[in-house]
Structure formats: C-alpha cells, structure tokens
Amino acid sequence: MSQTILRVEGLSKTFPVEYSIVERVQGKPRRAVKALTGVSLEVQRGETLGLVGESGCGKSTLARCLVRLYDADAGRVEYDGLEVLKLRGAGLRQYNRRVQMVFQDPFSSLNPRMTVVQTLREAILVHGLRKPQEVPGRIRELLKLVGLPKDAERRLPHEFSGGQRQRIGIARALSVEPETLIADELVSALDVSVQAQVVNLLLELQERLHLTVLFVAHDLRLVRHISHRVAVMYLGRVVELADTEKLFSNPAHPYTQALLRAAPELDPSRKSVLEAVRGELPSPLNPPPGCAFHPRCPQAFDRCRQEIPALVRRGPEERLVACHLLEATEAKPQA
Ligand SMILES: Nc1ncnc2c1ncn2[C@@H]1O[C@H](COP(=O)(O)OP(=O)(O)O)[C@@H](O)[C@H]1O
Ligand code: SF4
Ligand SMILES: [Mg+2]
C-alpha cells in the first residue's frame, strides 16, 4: 500500500524584479517573476518521483522551497504529518536532516579546504548521530556505500573527478541518515557515461535504504530510468503527473506530448525542443492568461485562453492532468 510522505498543496513563490529608478519615476508597477503558481503534488514513501520541464519552469524553486532554502509565499507542505512551512529552530533542523538536498554542482557545496573525512565527520557530529569513537567506522561504511575507494578519506574535493565529487555529495547527504533525498539536476553537469553510473548508484541506494527521492532533471531518459512516477511542470505549475511508463507510452497533456516528441534533452539551447513545442517559453513575469500553454498549444480553443485548467484526475488511472481537452471523469473533491 502506498503511503503519502510529502504533500504539497497550492505552493506559490514569486521573486520581485529589481525596480529601476526610471520605472519608479514613470510610475510603473513593481514586477515579479511567478516561479511557482499553486503547485500541488504528493510523493509516496519509498518512491522516486521525477520532476521534469523546460529550464525556467520552476523545478529548482520548488525543490528549494521544499527544503526551506526559499520561503514560499503561499501554500502548504506536509511531511510525515509535519507542517513544514511552519517549522522553526530544532524542528526545522530535524526536518532538514530527514530531508536532504543534493545539488548539481558538489563543488559549490563542498568546502574546498576540507578533506572527505573532515566533511563527513562534521556532518555526522553536528546532528549527534554517532558517538565520536564510532565516526571513523561510519565514514568507511559511507564511502563503501557510494563506491569511493578507502583512500578517498584524506583527499580534498579538487582531487576527485566530477562523478566522484557527486558521490561525495551523496555520501554527505547520507551521513545524516535521511529518509528523503531531493536531487536537483544531480548529474546534469557530468559526462553521459558517468551520469549513468551515478544514477544507477542512486537507484541502488534508494532500494537498499528505502529512500524517498524527488529526482529533478531535464533529461527525460534519466527520469524514465529512475522514476516510479513523473510530474511534468510548465511555467510554475504541474500539468501532468502519472506512472512513468504510462506517461511515456501515453502522454495525456499536449505539453507532455510535445516534450516526448522533442529530443530527450529539454535543454533550451537545443533547437529541436523549440521546434517540437512551438514558440518560446513565455516570460514568467507575465504568464499568458487561462492555460499558460495556450500560445504554444496546437489544440488550444477559446476556453483555454480564459480559464486556467485545474489539475484533476482523468480516467480510471491515478493520473492527474491539467487540460480542458480532457473531460474530468473523476474530479478531485473540493476543499
Ligand atoms: N533567486 C531567484 N531570484 C529571482 N528569480 C529567480 C530566482 N530563482 C529562480 N528565479 C526565476 O524563477 C523562474 C524559475 O526558475 P527555476 O526554479 O530555477 O527553474 P528550473 O529549475 O525549472 O530551471 C525563472 O524565471 C527564474 O529566472
Ligand atoms: S488547456 Fe487548452 S491550451 Fe492548455 S494544454 Fe489543454 S488544450 Fe492546450
Ligand atoms: Mg533548475
């Protein structure tokens, strides 16, 4: 039986845009980037939920709001019964131990002057998880778990390859014995051959340690390989959420369909994506009214330009879609 561990409801986040003197003199209103608009999703205990969408659609903002690196403007996040957005002090520290984030660039999050052993020891001791005499054994265990050689202990981050540094980042996250990992573009900066190794390591760890994983990425192949379910975001909203194989074999939302027709990479620098999804991603400063996808959607009709489609259950499966084309067969109960 699946059990929801993380529930996100109506999460919104805007970033104010710098207000120039000229704009102020001209009496122009302050503008804000709508990075997240009413995002709702659930993550089941022990699953890997993939989160995909073009660059700029709000994936990292969502990940950062979930670990409280950013303060959301509105909405609710519930983790194992905790009201995450209300946590303070020791409660927040404990939550941040249980839910760990692993970043794309481990260089920026690893202290360049600390050896691996120092980094891991600090993480373990900060949370008082082991007695000091148990720490060396635990560090050896962690290095083995992530496939790093024993002599890695005394080395500094710059002495490792990109893939190995990512393993150190994972070891550090695991050192505090989390239940959930939020991996934001974990392998995007690595060579393709190394990407597969790190993703396979994550798969193995997820099963072995019964971790819950939110895997944020723009590479659909990787997401398909690792995720049990996938959420697709467009311009600050979730537009489709379904079991991985169902989503890939039978995408329901016109945006998901376009993404799958495009190259597996959702890198905006690659033309093929823009060709498959007509036109460019609209500015989150001024998202289109109604369905934000309507200017690019080949199937848009009048209603799409006026009314925002709700994310509701479609058909007999556990699939959520936000699109007027598909009649809701089983609307979610209204709160
Ligand atoms: N710290 C920030 N300050 C201002 N704008 C931001 C900040 N972080 C993200 N944004 C904006 O929010 C939108 C979503 O960005 P992001 O969450 O990084 O998307 P993704 O991870 O999907 O590429 C983008 O328009 C981005 O420019
Ligand atoms: S709501 Fe309309 S514009 Fe949006 S994806 Fe569905 S058909 Fe296209
Ligand atoms: Mg990002």
Side-chain angles (χ1 to χ4, degrees):
M1 258 280 282
S2 55
Q3 188 196 2
T4 301
I5 187 161
L6 178 67
R7 180 174 287 121
V8 180
E9 282 173 10
L11 204 69
S12 295
K13 173 74 184 165
T14 51
F15 293 105
V17 172
E18 227 172 282
Y19 197 43
S20 71
I21 294 177
V22 176
E23 284 172 316
R24 203 174 309 164
V25 169
Q26 290 175 341
K28 291 199 170 155
R30 277 182 179 274
R31 296 180 306 157
V33 173
K34 291 183 179 160
L36 300 178
T37 313
V39 168
S40 297
L41 54 82
E42 290 180 357
V43 186
Q44 308 300 332
R45 196 183 285 273
E47 80 166 341
T48 298
L49 178 72
L51 185 64
V52 297
E54 280 165 283
S55 180
C57 71
K59 304 181 298 294
S60 295
T61 304
L62 174 60
R64 285 168 171 260
C65 286
L66 295 182
V67 293
R68 294 280 306 270
L69 279 171
Y70 289 161
D71 283 326
D73 303 333
R76 207 172 147 251
V77 177
E78 189 186 316
Y79 181 84
D80 200 18
L82 295 170
E83 284 283 354
V84 172
L85 303 187
K86 294 188 180 147
L87 293 174
R88 301 277 177 269
L92 181 56
R93 279 196 297 280
Q94 175 71 348
Y95 169 73
N96 280 333
R97 183 193 69 71
R98 294 172 69 187
V99 180
Q100 282 280 304
M101 182 132 164
V102 213
F103 296 90
Q104 173 177 358
D105 175 16
F107 234 160
S108 63
S109 57
L110 291 171
N111 184 332
R113 281 180 291 278
M114 275 166 80
T115 62
V116 170
V117 80
Q118 287 169 330
T119 296
L120 296 179
R121 184 192 293 129
E122 186 185 73
I124 296 168
L125 291 177
V126 158
H127 290 280
L129 291 164
R130 300 288 160 117
K131 295 192 188 105
Q133 65 269 29
E134 292 169 2
V135 171
R138 174 63 177 153
I139 290 174
R140 281 195 294 276
E141 199 177 282
L142 283 165
L143 292 180
K144 202 166 158 215
L145 202 59
V146 300
L148 280 172
K150 200 184 160 297
D151 68 1
E153 284 187 13
R154 312 269 156 222
R155 284 148 62 186
L156 292 164
H158 76 265
E159 298 175 55
F160 293 93
S161 66
Q164 285 177 322
R165 274 202 293 273
Q166 208 45 293
R167 287 173 194 264
I168 302 170
I170 295 172
R172 188 181 55 179
L174 295 178
S175 70
V176 300
E177 296 165 34
E179 300 151 1
T180 296
L181 288 185
I182 298 185
D184 189 6
E185 305 283 3
L186 181 71
V187 297
S188 305
L190 304 176
D191 290 344
V192 173
S193 58
V194 184
Q195 283 185 343
Q197 292 166 17
V198 176
V199 165
N200 284 334
L201 170 69
L202 192 63
L203 257 176
E204 199 184 298
L205 292 171
Q206 193 257 340
E207 279 176 23
R208 207 155 140 188
L209 306 173
H210 309 291
L211 294 168
T212 303
V213 178
L214 182 64
F215 187 78
V216 180
H218 61 265
D219 188 325
L220 291 177
R221 282 168 310 183
L222 289 178
V223 169
R224 184 176 194 169
H225 179 60
I226 199 171
S227 312
H228 299 104
R229 295 189 308 147
V230 175
V232 180
M233 279 185 78
Y234 185 74
L235 222 62
R237 292 176 192 273
V238 175
V239 295
E240 182 163 3
L241 198 159
D243 283 348
T244 305
E245 283 318 309
K246 285 181 186 143
L247 185 113
F248 279 86
S249 59
N250 183 23
H253 194 283
Y255 178 61
T256 316
Q257 291 167 0
L259 282 185
L260 299 193
R261 275 200 306 275
E265 282 273 346
L266 302 184
D267 181 343
S269 62
R270 287 176 60 154
K271 255 189 144 178
S272 50
V273 177
L274 298 181
E275 282 161 10
V277 187
R278 300 184 312 175
E280 302 211 13
L281 190 70
S283 165
L285 269 172
N286 189 16
C291 172
F293 188 55
H294 85 249
R296 303 166 88 187
C297 181
Q299 296 166 80
F301 56 109
D302 279 351
R303 187 176 169 197
C304 307
R305 289 177 260 278
Q306 289 145 23
E307 201 184 313
I308 299 171
L311 184 69
V312 289
R313 185 155 289 129
R314 312 284 179 176
E317 317 159 0
E318 292 284 307
R319 183 196 291 252
L320 302 174
V321 189
C323 173
H324 294 310
L325 267 186
L326 306 142
E327 281 307 314
T329 48
E330 189 196 325
K332 268 189 148 181
Q334 296 296 308

